[in-house]
Amino acid sequence: NFSATPHAPRPGQEATVEVLYWVNPDGRASDCRAERSSGYPALDKLACSLIEQRFRFRPAKDKHGKPVRAGVIENHTWVVRDQ
């Protein structure tokens, strides 16, 4: 429970992390890292852990239709809600 720690967003706040990761030919993500931190290292790490463990993609393909590794940069926003 991140909202219970002193170094986490408070209810009603948001924290956005910009991540870079690679989608491999098998559709799994790897080598995730925060390019721009949310200001909360634990949330940055959690975002990358979830991307690598749970996300699955249709990989990019080369001009011959063969799946290839491709980089992705995107923002993920955590929202802390009142309970």
Side-chain angles (χ1 to χ4, degrees):
N1 182 354
F2 286 104
S3 62
T5 67
H7 302 294
R10 300 286 177 231
Q13 292 182 320
E14 297 181 357
T16 299
V17 58
E18 180 180 271
V19 294
L20 165 66
Y21 58 90
W22 293 88
V23 175
N24 298 305
D26 66 0
R28 292 181 176 264
S30 66
D31 302 318
C32 183
R33 69 175 186 256
E35 287 288 291
R36 189 176 62 233
S37 176
S38 66
Y40 302 97
L43 292 180
D44 299 348
K45 184 177 178 180
L46 181 59
C48 278
S49 292
L50 292 172
I51 289 167
E52 290 180 350
Q53 292 172 13
R54 297 183 182 180
F55 287 28
R56 298 296 178 264
F57 300 89
R58 278 186 232 130
K61 295 183 179 182
D62 66 15
K63 65 181 179 180
H64 303 291
K66 181 181 175 186
V68 295
R69 190 173 196 238
V72 177
I73 298 174
E74 62 188 10
N75 291 325
H76 287 263
T77 301
W78 298 95
V79 178
V80 180
R81 299 193 176 153
D82 292 322
Q83 292 185 355

